[in-house]
Amino acid sequence: MSSPRVVALGELLLRLKSPGRERLMQSGRLEATFGGAEANVAATLASDGIDCAFVSALTNNPLGDAAIGELRRFGIDASNVVREAGRLGTYYLEAGAGQRSGRVVYDRENSVFANVAPIPLNWSRCFEGATWLHVSGITPALSESAATICLDAVTGAQKLRLTVSCDYNFRDTLWRYGKNPPDVMRAIVEQVHVGVAGRGDCQTMLGIIPKHAERDGALNVEWYRVLAEQASNAFPNLDLQVITLREGNSATNNGWAGCLHNRKEFLVSKRYEIADVVDHVGAGHSFTVGLIYALIQKKSAQYALEFATAARCRKHTIVGDVNRVSAAEVEALMGGQGGGRMQRQEIDCDFAR
């Protein structure tokens, strides 16, 4: 059996964040890093030793050079990133605190990735040696050409028998080119094997209207079971429909769990109470990473769901887009080691000649 190789398709963005929990431009300073849904998935998987490649389009200037350097720093194959003249997509982030929600301001219209034509992307070359393709609903929201690229990618991957995952990821500030999300997303999800949804994504992105009454309370598990079952029935290729369950008490206090339908059974994960959220951005992507990582390791559906949920919980303690925790740290949390006690390690230096 060939070793796993994950290809992620999406846009890499410049992330500009106000320091700490300041309001945007409160001090006139911004912290510059890079991020983006699909790139976050590739970076976190690569950090845990999974062979990863990223397919995208970036500006052909020093900002693009720095973005490519960031991908390579994580060990990601960036050889199929198209370089063209134009602008790099950007987002501005203001962290929330208590009852003040966090805020993201996108500045990505007419970016290189949004405008790139499908022709420069050679899918047979992009998928060489690949076993898995990951996409998200953010890409087809950017432009008609980006939607075409995403559909071409999942169709090509399906023909080559790659496993295809998609995080539906509805972004209400996108979808500005005249298409309704279900008109685009349903064709993409028809080629998907592992679907990941947040609250409301199945309805908004896929047009699936639950057959039963509105959910009663924050987390009516039976409501989500029926919703996941309807999504599975609507898309025959879906082996797994996963939905994250978030309870947002405040910007810095959340409850998290996940559920999964695999056509045989409906599973629900352990629930985590996160009392001091450090950074919301990338949490959903970390859930997807955990799911992919565990499935690649041939773990059971229940284990994959628990691993994904614990990975998402860990991400809330990390600043930045990428979940900088190891698989071992995620497994430790799954095993109950999440009390916050200081971890001490001795460095063994042997200077014997």
Side-chain angles (χ1 to χ4, degrees):
M1 181 181 293
S2 61
S3 59
R5 177 176 170 84
V6 177
V7 175
L9 165 70
E11 181 172 30
L12 186 63
L13 301 167
L14 177 64
R15 163 178 156 148
L16 299 174
K17 180 187 176 298
S18 54
R21 291 187 169 130
E22 290 182 6
R23 305 301 304 269
L24 275 176
M25 302 309 297
Q26 178 177 330
S27 65
R29 294 180 295 147
L30 293 171
E31 300 166 350
T33 52
F34 293 98
E38 305 84 0
N40 296 343
V41 169
T44 308
L45 285 171
S47 296
D48 265 318
I50 303 297
D51 183 16
C52 289
F54 190 58
V55 179
S56 188
L58 287 170
T59 179
N60 194 16
N61 64 26
L63 283 176
D65 294 342
I68 289 284
E70 182 74 356
L71 292 171
R72 290 174 176 159
R73 189 166 68 86
F74 282 102
I76 299 169
D77 178 0
S79 61
N80 287 306
V81 174
V82 175
R83 305 294 300 277
E84 293 187 353
R87 63 188 301 269
L88 180 68
T90 303
Y91 81 91
Y92 298 81
L93 173 64
E94 174 186 301
Q99 305 310 313
R100 175 172 59 82
S101 299
R103 181 169 57 151
V104 170
V105 179
Y106 288 115
D107 180 18
R108 60 199 300 179
E109 190 171 356
N110 292 318
S111 67
V112 170
F113 183 80
N115 288 337
V116 71
I119 295 173
L121 295 171
N122 183 329
W123 293 114
S124 61
R125 185 181 65 198
C126 292
F127 293 149
E128 188 173 354
T131 57
W132 195 294
L133 169 68
H134 178 68
V135 299
S136 87
I138 295 175
T139 293
L142 298 176
S143 65
E144 196 155 6
S145 63
T148 298
I149 289 170
C150 193
L151 182 58
D152 287 349
V154 297
T155 302
Q158 180 73 255
K159 290 178 180 177
L160 293 172
R161 298 177 181 269
L162 275 64
T163 300
V164 181
S165 58
C166 179
D167 187 344
Y168 303 153
N169 257 334
F170 175 63
R171 295 289 185 267
D172 58 0
T173 55
L174 302 177
W175 294 101
R176 295 290 184 261
Y177 63 97
K179 296 283 189 179
N180 293 318
D183 297 337
V184 178
M185 285 299 298
R186 290 185 69 90
I188 292 170
V189 177
E190 283 174 1
Q191 312 300 323
V192 169
H193 305 104
V194 179
V196 182
R199 179 184 293 184
D201 281 349
C202 289
Q203 301 94 303
T204 306
M205 295 295 272
L206 306 182
I208 294 175
I209 307 301
K211 296 176 181 178
H212 55 324
E214 268 301 315
R215 54 180 173 261
D216 179 20
L219 289 181
N220 183 335
V221 173
E222 175 63 15
W223 191 91
Y224 286 100
R225 183 192 68 77
V226 175
L227 181 62
E229 189 176 78
Q230 284 184 240
S232 297
N233 291 338
F235 299 96
N237 280 321
L238 271 181
D239 297 321
L240 298 176
Q241 177 59 66
V242 189
I243 303 176
T244 59
L245 309 176
R246 174 179 179 263
E247 297 173 274
N249 304 315
S250 71
T252 47
N253 189 319
N254 286 184
W256 285 111
C259 59
L260 177 154
H261 192 286
N262 64 359
R263 298 188 178 276
K264 298 176 183 177
E265 55 189 341
F266 179 72
L267 306 172
V268 181
S269 78
K270 173 183 176 181
R271 181 184 179 278
Y272 292 90
E273 185 70 35
I274 308 168
D276 188 14
V277 174
V278 173
D279 196 338
H280 278 286
V281 178
H285 316 150
S286 298
F287 181 92
T288 302
V289 169
L291 194 69
I292 294 172
Y293 182 85
L295 293 174
I296 283 176
Q297 308 299 326
K298 306 298 184 184
K299 301 294 186 180
S300 69
Q302 184 72 59
Y303 182 96
L305 180 62
E306 298 291 353
F307 188 91
T309 306
R312 182 170 191 161
C313 182
R314 283 287 199 196
K315 171 60 186 73
H316 282 297
T317 70
I318 305 295
V319 174
D321 268 47
V322 178
N323 195 10
R324 297 172 186 269
V325 299
S326 67
E329 289 174 308
V330 174
E331 289 172 337
L333 180 59
M334 291 170 64
Q337 299 178 36
R341 294 183 63 184
M342 179 67 72
Q343 302 294 309
R344 303 182 188 277
Q345 184 174 359
E346 191 76 22
I347 297 177
D348 183 14
C349 298
D350 184 1
F351 293 104
R353 294 289 188 269

